[in-house]
Amino acid sequence: MQKNRPKDRSFHTVNKVIACVLTLVLVIIACAVPVYAEEQIETTPSRIPLTELEKTIDSYVESYEKYTAAVSVVAIKDGEFIVNKAYGFANIENQRKADTSTVFEWASISKLLVYASLMQLVEQGKLDLDTDIREYLPVGFFKKLKYDEPITLLNLMHHNAGWEDQTVTEVYYYDEKEDYDLGETLRKNEPKQIYKPNSVVGYSNYGVGLGGYIVELVSGQPYYEYVNQHIFEPLHMNDTTVHPTGQDRPDLAQRRNEIEGYTKNLELIPENRVYVTFYPTGAAMGTAEDLGKFLAALMPVDDNSVLFAKRDTLDEMLSTSLYYDGTSIPRFAHGFAEMEYWVPTLLHEGNLKGFSSKVVFDPVSKFGMVVMTNIAFEEVYYYGLISKIFGNSTYVNSVASEGGGYFQSARRPASRFTDLFRLLDITKFSKAELSSLYNVVEHNGVVEKISYTPYMDYLPVSNLKVNLIAISLIPVALAIIFSLVALIGYIIRMLLYKLKKRGYPPTHFDKYYLAINFAGGLLLLNLFIIFTRLPSYPAYSSLRINLGFNLLYVVLAIAYLGWLIYKLRKSSYGKRQKVMYIMSGISAFILAAFVVGWNLYV
């Protein structure tokens, strides 16, 4: 018996070791299970549990209640609505509360319908993304193209076909009874091509409007009918229309008229019901819930796609099609802007007179949000709430710039009367500011362009040009001052002469002198009226009389100069009178050149 004891001890030792190991394994498993369970809790990209999302949004809205008119919020996960709520007032004056049936303007989010429609036709083999769009348009459609390079559907999606921007007065109109034909409107309002295709990104409503027109031509249906049949109906989007004036759905038009638009200070914006000239770019209106249905269709939970016959087409549409120059940073996915929050996202924004909207989603996690408000250029929800749910956006600079400088948006009307007002927005960026931007493109140490949003490049403006612009405004200011002083001085001189018979007696030419200076004063007033009206998006037709007066002034200035030269050769005036007449002629010439040079006329 004694001989077996060592063996027994060894056996018991092994058992103890096994028991310890098993205990350790059980402890590890016990500790790991809560961690694993915690990891399985679904969250937003900013790590808010989805179960807490509605309460988080409620709390956020409550904290910003004094900045809120109406806001409608939709959140979707794996094709299901997890939040669908409306807050605030659709009409503050009448205390009409917003609800999930409130109809908002989609504004530029409408462009996503164009991109989806084009991709449907690409899938059917009726369109090709890399083919020159002139093959789909009527012969001789364009009259103002500067470059021979082809313009493709991808150029329209990337906003880099090279067109100048439309003026705000050409983008909107107010009369719902106005006869409308998309093709004729695009032809009549063709902008100049000021950049070579693929070289510069400058947001273009005209380009996307062309995309909608191509859908019309290829499908044989009006654009809005195509969208109704191939997008709205399959997705059961029963509370949305993209008709130019919404008249195909009078019920929706009426519901839209029940909501008003406001400024950030919650001041009512008069005449906030506007119609979009190139309507595929911004005419959609409907509920946030309907936009959520469209968003859900972009993130299907299986291989099926309601929008496309093949899932591959959807995947292609949501894949990167344009990168920032010289980088691997995604910029556009076939018209969808790409933005890096705490996760990579696709998005589109919309701003219309009195309305702001945004849709953001992560196709990988199949989480997305819709935010719609009746506030112009809104930021609390448009940016703030989105950042709270998706995390802060991140910016990656690919090249460290060696210096700052002046820059101007590539989205500008280079041959239209608002070009002057856009030039007043030339921005100076410091070296530090350039280094924090999304992308800086340099060549041999010289900055060629910068980009800090997907939608826009900013191009450098030389110090010389900035100085020349500033210097050129000096003689204009002096000419206006002279006209006003001369006008006031003439009135005072005539009063003194009549009352006390002092000074020079009036001459036959004085009435022309008086008229041109009076017209110069009116020109200043007229330019001020135009400038102050632009932020309210006036219809171009409503400014015709103002622009027509500017043209009339040019005619008057030319007539005055011709008549002055003739009279000075034929008549004798006092030296002081000649100086005043000639100075008025010089002032009129400067102002006329200013009007013509900046296209400030009809």
Side-chain angles (χ1 to χ4, degrees):
M1 295 293 295
Q2 295 294 325
K3 292 180 179 178
N4 293 330
R5 285 179 182 174
K7 185 177 179 179
D8 291 339
R9 288 197 194 100
S10 175
F11 178 76
H12 288 303
T13 301
V14 170
N15 284 342
K16 287 182 180 179
V17 171
I18 292 174
C20 290
V21 171
L22 289 174
T23 302
L24 181 61
V25 169
L26 290 173
V27 170
I28 292 173
I29 293 174
C31 293
V33 167
V35 174
Y36 177 78
E38 183 178 346
E39 289 178 349
Q40 293 304 299
I41 296 176
E42 293 186 303
T43 69
T44 71
S46 63
R47 309 297 185 266
I48 299 171
L50 295 185
T51 54
E52 299 292 322
L53 181 57
E54 183 173 344
K55 184 165 53 175
T56 300
I57 294 172
D58 289 344
S59 176
Y60 184 91
V61 173
E62 183 179 357
S63 65
Y64 287 99
E65 186 175 9
K66 65 180 179 180
Y67 303 107
T68 304
V71 58
S72 194
V73 181
V74 167
I76 293 173
K77 172 65 176 176
D78 294 329
E80 300 292 332
F81 283 71
I82 56 176
V83 176
N84 181 17
K85 298 188 73 173
Y87 308 83
F89 293 95
N91 186 314
I92 296 175
E93 291 71 27
N94 295 334
Q95 291 292 285
R96 181 183 293 121
K97 288 189 176 182
D99 57 36
T100 55
S101 68
T102 299
V103 171
F104 291 85
E105 303 276 4
W106 282 33
S108 284
I109 292 179
S110 306
K111 292 177 173 64
L112 298 183
L113 300 173
V114 176
Y115 306 142
S117 299
L118 290 171
M119 291 302 294
Q120 286 177 340
L121 296 172
V122 167
E123 181 181 63
Q124 298 167 27
K126 296 178 180 179
L127 291 173
D128 180 80
L129 292 174
D130 297 311
T131 296
D132 194 323
I133 61 173
R134 280 169 283 195
E135 291 196 19
Y136 306 122
L137 295 168
V139 176
F141 186 85
F142 295 122
K143 305 295 183 184
K144 300 180 181 179
L145 293 185
K146 181 179 180 181
Y147 300 97
D148 294 329
E149 280 78 353
I151 298 171
T152 67
L153 292 178
L154 283 175
N155 290 137
L156 304 186
M157 294 173 169
H158 299 156
H159 301 279
N160 62 358
W163 284 299
E164 66 172 330
D165 193 27
Q166 311 297 123
T167 69
V168 293
T169 63
E170 294 171 300
V171 174
Y172 306 111
Y173 65 99
Y174 291 83
D175 185 2
E176 67 177 24
K177 297 179 181 179
E178 186 173 321
D179 291 334
Y180 194 90
D181 178 86
L182 180 56
E184 183 58 31
T185 301
L186 288 162
R187 185 182 288 107
K188 183 174 64 175
N189 291 281
E190 180 189 355
K192 286 186 177 180
Q193 189 184 38
I194 58 176
Y195 309 113
K196 185 178 292 187
N198 296 305
S199 64
V200 174
V201 172
Y203 194 78
S204 175
N205 286 301
Y206 180 82
V208 181
L210 274 174
Y213 182 48
I214 290 172
V215 171
E216 279 196 356
L217 294 174
V218 174
S219 69
Q221 296 177 275
Y223 171 77
Y224 69 90
E225 287 187 4
Y226 178 91
V227 173
N228 284 341
Q229 181 178 343
H230 297 278
I231 297 179
F232 293 162
E233 290 179 11
L235 297 180
H236 305 292
M237 295 171 63
N238 302 320
D239 292 309
T240 303
T241 175
V242 73
H243 185 278
T245 61
Q247 293 310 303
D248 66 331
R249 292 289 306 276
D251 57 322
L252 287 179
Q254 175 58 37
R255 284 160 61 186
R256 160 58 185 90
N257 291 335
E258 293 173 356
I259 184 172
E260 297 287 1
Y262 298 89
T263 67
K264 292 179 183 179
N265 297 323
L266 302 188
E267 297 172 351
L268 177 66
I269 298 175
E271 292 189 285
N272 57 71
R273 181 67 174 110
V274 298
Y275 307 105
V276 181
T277 305
F278 313 125
Y279 82 89
T281 70
M285 61 180 183
T287 62
E289 180 177 344
D290 262 14
L291 182 51
K293 293 176 182 178
F294 179 72
L295 174 58
L298 299 175
M299 303 183 294
V301 294
D302 51 33
D303 289 336
N304 297 319
S305 171
V306 179
L307 289 174
F308 303 101
K310 301 175 182 177
R311 175 61 188 266
D312 289 347
T313 308
L314 174 61
D315 293 340
E316 180 185 3
M317 182 173 73
L318 302 184
S319 65
T320 302
S321 54
L322 183 70
Y323 295 86
Y324 286 93
D325 290 40
T327 76
S328 58
I329 304 173
R331 186 166 190 170
F332 279 114
H334 299 85
F336 291 76
E338 301 202 48
M339 181 71 75
E340 186 82 17
Y341 287 92
W342 285 9
V343 294
T345 67
L346 301 178
L347 61 83
H348 209 290
E349 304 169 345
N351 282 285
L352 203 60
K353 189 176 182 181
F355 290 84
S356 302
S357 53
K358 194 166 189 173
V359 57
V360 187
F361 64 105
D362 170 22
V364 175
S365 67
K366 294 179 174 53
F367 176 81
M369 284 191 66
V370 171
V371 173
M372 306 187 85
T373 75
N374 58 341
I375 298 177
F377 300 103
E378 199 278 332
E379 295 179 350
V380 170
Y381 301 101
Y382 195 90
Y383 294 111
L385 180 60
I386 293 297
S387 295
K388 186 172 185 64
I389 305 304
F390 282 87
N392 294 324
S393 57
T394 57
Y395 293 84
V396 181
N397 176 242
S398 61
V399 180
S401 177
E402 296 183 359
Y406 292 98
F407 291 85
Q408 180 186 20
S409 169
R411 183 187 182 185
R412 65 185 186 89
S415 61
R416 286 164 159 77
F417 73 91
T418 53
D419 190 28
L420 169 66
F421 306 112
R422 289 289 178 91
L423 274 177
L424 298 178
D425 290 333
I426 289 177
T427 304
K428 185 174 185 179
F429 289 98
S430 66
K431 176 182 177 180
E433 288 171 327
L434 285 182
S435 297
S436 67
L437 295 178
Y438 223 54
N439 192 47
V440 178
V441 178
E442 289 187 337
H443 182 68
N444 293 331
V446 178
V447 176
E448 294 184 343
K449 61 182 175 181
I450 60 176
S451 312
Y452 60 91
T453 74
Y455 305 108
M456 211 99 64
D457 287 335
Y458 285 77
L459 305 178
V461 181
S462 67
N463 291 342
L464 176 61
K465 184 175 180 178
V466 171
N467 292 331
L468 287 176
I469 292 172
I471 292 172
S472 69
L473 294 176
I474 294 175
V476 173
L478 292 176
I480 291 175
I481 292 172
F482 176 84
S483 296
L484 294 176
V485 171
L487 181 61
I488 295 171
Y490 178 82
I491 294 172
I492 293 174
R493 181 162 61 87
M494 287 300 98
L495 287 174
L496 288 175
Y497 181 80
K498 287 187 176 182
L499 293 174
K500 300 182 179 181
K501 300 296 180 183
R502 293 172 54 187
Y504 292 98
T507 69
H508 177 72
F509 195 79
D510 276 2
K511 58 185 177 182
Y512 304 110
Y513 169 79
L514 177 64
I516 197 64
N517 287 310
F518 183 71
L522 290 180
L523 178 67
L524 173 63
L525 177 62
N526 192 50
L527 292 175
F528 178 76
I529 292 172
I530 293 173
F531 182 76
T532 54
R533 288 192 61 195
L534 288 180
S536 65
Y537 306 112
Y540 183 76
S541 58
S542 70
L543 288 177
R544 284 186 180 278
I545 188 170
N546 301 85
L547 299 174
F549 174 80
N550 292 348
L551 181 60
L552 176 62
Y553 180 84
V554 173
V555 174
L556 291 176
I558 294 172
Y560 178 84
L561 286 169
W563 192 239
L564 175 62
I565 293 171
Y566 174 79
K567 294 299 278 182
L568 288 179
R569 293 177 60 186
K570 298 291 184 178
S571 306
S572 57
Y573 300 110
K575 185 176 180 180
R576 183 176 177 182
Q577 288 175 316
K578 284 184 177 181
V579 170
M580 295 301 290
Y581 295 158
I582 292 172
M583 287 295 295
S584 290
I586 294 173
S587 297
F589 175 79
I590 292 172
L591 294 178
F594 175 73
V595 169
V596 173
W598 291 106
N599 303 294
L600 297 168
Y601 57 91
V602 175

